[in-house]
PDB file of all heavy atoms in Angstrom:
ATOM      1  N   VAL A  64      64.536 -77.663  92.115  1.00 90.00           N
ATOM      2  CA  VAL A  64      64.040 -79.035  91.978  1.00 90.00           C
ATOM      3  C   VAL A  64      64.131 -79.764  93.324  1.00 90.00           C
ATOM      4  O   VAL A  64      63.204 -80.479  93.731  1.00 90.00           O
ATOM      5  CB  VAL A  64      64.830 -79.787  90.886  1.00 90.00           C
ATOM      6  CG1 VAL A  64      64.486 -81.283  90.905  1.00 90.00           C
ATOM      7  CG2 VAL A  64      64.538 -79.194  89.519  1.00 90.00           C
ATOM      8  N   ALA A  65      65.251 -79.561  94.017  1.00 88.00           N
ATOM      9  CA  ALA A  65      65.408 -80.172  95.335  1.00 88.00           C
ATOM     10  C   ALA A  65      64.357 -79.653  96.309  1.00 88.00           C
ATOM     11  O   ALA A  65      63.823 -80.417  97.142  1.00 88.00           O
ATOM     12  CB  ALA A  65      66.809 -79.896  95.871  1.00 88.00           C
ATOM     13  N   ALA A  66      64.014 -78.367  96.214  1.00 86.00           N
ATOM     14  CA  ALA A  66      62.997 -77.800  97.096  1.00 86.00           C
ATOM     15  C   ALA A  66      61.625 -78.417  96.827  1.00 86.00           C
ATOM     16  O   ALA A  66      60.864 -78.709  97.769  1.00 86.00           O
ATOM     17  CB  ALA A  66      62.940 -76.288  96.914  1.00 86.00           C
ATOM     18  N   VAL A  67      61.309 -78.636  95.544  1.00 87.00           N
ATOM     19  CA  VAL A  67      60.019 -79.244  95.199  1.00 87.00           C
ATOM     20  C   VAL A  67      59.947 -80.676  95.725  1.00 87.00           C
ATOM     21  O   VAL A  67      58.922 -81.107  96.289  1.00 87.00           O
ATOM     22  CB  VAL A  67      59.804 -79.214  93.673  1.00 87.00           C
ATOM     23  CG1 VAL A  67      58.546 -79.988  93.294  1.00 87.00           C
ATOM     24  CG2 VAL A  67      59.698 -77.773  93.178  1.00 87.00           C
ATOM     25  N   LEU A  68      61.029 -81.427  95.570  1.00 87.00           N
ATOM     26  CA  LEU A  68      61.058 -82.798  96.068  1.00 87.00           C
ATOM     27  C   LEU A  68      60.954 -82.837  97.588  1.00 87.00           C
ATOM     28  O   LEU A  68      60.264 -83.697  98.163  1.00 87.00           O
ATOM     29  CB  LEU A  68      62.341 -83.490  95.611  1.00 87.00           C
ATOM     30  CG  LEU A  68      62.474 -83.711  94.098  1.00 87.00           C
ATOM     31  CD1 LEU A  68      63.836 -84.307  93.770  1.00 87.00           C
ATOM     32  CD2 LEU A  68      61.347 -84.605  93.589  1.00 87.00           C
ATOM     33  N   LEU A  69      61.604 -81.892  98.253  1.00 84.00           N
ATOM     34  CA  LEU A  69      61.522 -81.825  99.711  1.00 84.00           C
ATOM     35  C   LEU A  69      60.104 -81.504 100.157  1.00 84.00           C
ATOM     36  O   LEU A  69      59.595 -82.096 101.132  1.00 84.00           O
ATOM     37  CB  LEU A  69      62.501 -80.775 100.234  1.00 84.00           C
ATOM     38  CG  LEU A  69      62.532 -80.579 101.750  1.00 84.00           C
ATOM     39  CD1 LEU A  69      62.984 -81.869 102.452  1.00 84.00           C
ATOM     40  CD2 LEU A  69      63.453 -79.421 102.115  1.00 84.00           C
ATOM     41  N   ALA A  70      59.454 -80.571  99.464  1.00 80.00           N
ATOM     42  CA  ALA A  70      58.080 -80.210  99.820  1.00 80.00           C
ATOM     43  C   ALA A  70      57.120 -81.376  99.593  1.00 80.00           C
ATOM     44  O   ALA A  70      56.124 -81.525 100.325  1.00 80.00           O
ATOM     45  CB  ALA A  70      57.637 -78.996  99.003  1.00 80.00           C
ATOM     46  N   ALA A  71      57.420 -82.208  98.601  1.00 80.00           N
ATOM     47  CA  ALA A  71      56.532 -83.335  98.302  1.00 80.00           C
ATOM     48  C   ALA A  71      56.708 -84.483  99.291  1.00 80.00           C
ATOM     49  O   ALA A  71      55.728 -85.151  99.650  1.00 80.00           O
ATOM     50  CB  ALA A  71      56.792 -83.833  96.876  1.00 80.00           C
ATOM     51  N   HIS A  72      57.943 -84.726  99.754  1.00 80.00           N
ATOM     52  CA  HIS A  72      58.217 -85.885 100.598  1.00 80.00           C
ATOM     53  C   HIS A  72      58.243 -85.548 102.089  1.00 80.00           C
ATOM     54  O   HIS A  72      58.092 -86.444 102.928  1.00 80.00           O
ATOM     55  CB  HIS A  72      59.555 -86.518 100.202  1.00 80.00           C
ATOM     56  CG  HIS A  72      59.518 -87.162  98.851  1.00 80.00           C
ATOM     57  ND1 HIS A  72      59.742 -86.469  97.677  1.00 80.00           N
ATOM     58  CD2 HIS A  72      59.253 -88.462  98.484  1.00 80.00           C
ATOM     59  CE1 HIS A  72      59.651 -87.303  96.650  1.00 80.00           C
ATOM     60  NE2 HIS A  72      59.343 -88.523  97.114  1.00 80.00           N
ATOM     61  N   ASN A  73      58.437 -84.254 102.409  1.00 75.00           N
ATOM     62  CA  ASN A  73      58.482 -83.882 103.827  1.00 75.00           C
ATOM     63  C   ASN A  73      57.861 -82.499 104.010  1.00 75.00           C
ATOM     64  O   ASN A  73      58.547 -81.534 104.331  1.00 75.00           O
ATOM     65  CB  ASN A  73      59.932 -83.894 104.321  1.00 75.00           C
ATOM     66  CG  ASN A  73      60.018 -83.879 105.839  1.00 75.00           C
ATOM     67  OD1 ASN A  73      59.000 -83.757 106.538  1.00 75.00           O
ATOM     68  ND2 ASN A  73      61.218 -83.988 106.366  1.00 75.00           N
ATOM     69  N   PRO A  74      56.549 -82.383 103.805  1.00 73.00           N
ATOM     70  CA  PRO A  74      55.880 -81.076 103.873  1.00 73.00           C
ATOM     71  C   PRO A  74      56.068 -80.329 105.191  1.00 73.00           C
ATOM     72  O   PRO A  74      56.182 -79.094 105.183  1.00 73.00           O
ATOM     73  CB  PRO A  74      54.401 -81.425 103.646  1.00 73.00           C
ATOM     74  CG  PRO A  74      54.436 -82.741 102.934  1.00 73.00           C
ATOM     75  CD  PRO A  74      55.631 -83.471 103.472  1.00 73.00           C
ATOM     76  N   PRO A  75      56.119 -80.985 106.362  1.00 71.00           N
ATOM     77  CA  PRO A  75      56.258 -80.214 107.603  1.00 71.00           C
ATOM     78  C   PRO A  75      57.533 -79.366 107.680  1.00 71.00           C
ATOM     79  O   PRO A  75      57.552 -78.338 108.374  1.00 71.00           O
ATOM     80  CB  PRO A  75      56.263 -81.313 108.690  1.00 71.00           C
ATOM     81  CG  PRO A  75      55.518 -82.455 108.071  1.00 71.00           C
ATOM     82  CD  PRO A  75      55.899 -82.426 106.634  1.00 71.00           C
ATOM     83  N   MET A  76      58.585 -79.745 106.964  1.00 69.00           N
ATOM     84  CA  MET A  76      59.819 -78.978 107.037  1.00 69.00           C
ATOM     85  C   MET A  76      59.666 -77.560 106.484  1.00 69.00           C
ATOM     86  O   MET A  76      60.346 -76.627 106.916  1.00 69.00           O
ATOM     87  CB  MET A  76      60.944 -79.695 106.264  1.00 69.00           C
ATOM     88  CG  MET A  76      61.510 -80.918 106.983  1.00 69.00           C
ATOM     89  SD  MET A  76      63.042 -81.465 106.216  1.00 69.00           S
ATOM     90  CE  MET A  76      64.110 -80.067 106.551  1.00 69.00           C
ATOM     91  N   LEU A  77      58.736 -77.398 105.525  1.00 66.00           N
ATOM     92  CA  LEU A  77      58.553 -76.087 104.893  1.00 66.00           C
ATOM     93  C   LEU A  77      57.229 -75.436 105.291  1.00 66.00           C
ATOM     94  O   LEU A  77      56.831 -74.438 104.700  1.00 66.00           O
ATOM     95  CB  LEU A  77      58.606 -76.241 103.365  1.00 66.00           C
ATOM     96  CG  LEU A  77      59.866 -76.902 102.791  1.00 66.00           C
ATOM     97  CD1 LEU A  77      59.767 -76.989 101.275  1.00 66.00           C
ATOM     98  CD2 LEU A  77      61.118 -76.132 103.200  1.00 66.00           C
ATOM     99  N   ALA A  78      56.590 -75.997 106.293  1.00 62.00           N
ATOM    100  CA  ALA A  78      55.248 -75.521 106.646  1.00 62.00           C
ATOM    101  C   ALA A  78      55.248 -74.076 107.116  1.00 62.00           C
ATOM    102  O   ALA A  78      54.315 -73.316 106.840  1.00 62.00           O
ATOM    103  CB  ALA A  78      54.653 -76.421 107.723  1.00 62.00           C
ATOM    104  N   GLN A  79      56.289 -73.659 107.846  1.00 67.00           N
ATOM    105  CA  GLN A  79      56.315 -72.310 108.412  1.00 67.00           C
ATOM    106  C   GLN A  79      57.054 -71.296 107.532  1.00 67.00           C
ATOM    107  O   GLN A  79      57.213 -70.148 107.924  1.00 67.00           O
ATOM    108  CB  GLN A  79      56.967 -72.348 109.797  1.00 67.00           C
ATOM    109  CG  GLN A  79      56.176 -73.173 110.810  1.00 67.00           C
ATOM    110  CD  GLN A  79      56.813 -73.134 112.181  1.00 67.00           C
ATOM    111  OE1 GLN A  79      57.928 -72.677 112.345  1.00 67.00           O
ATOM    112  NE2 GLN A  79      56.085 -73.622 113.177  1.00 67.00           N
TER     113      GLN A  79
END
Side-chain angles (χ1 to χ4, degrees):
V64 170
V67 173
L68 294 176
L69 180 63
H72 292 86
N73 195 354
M76 285 193 65
L77 304 180
Q79 296 183 349

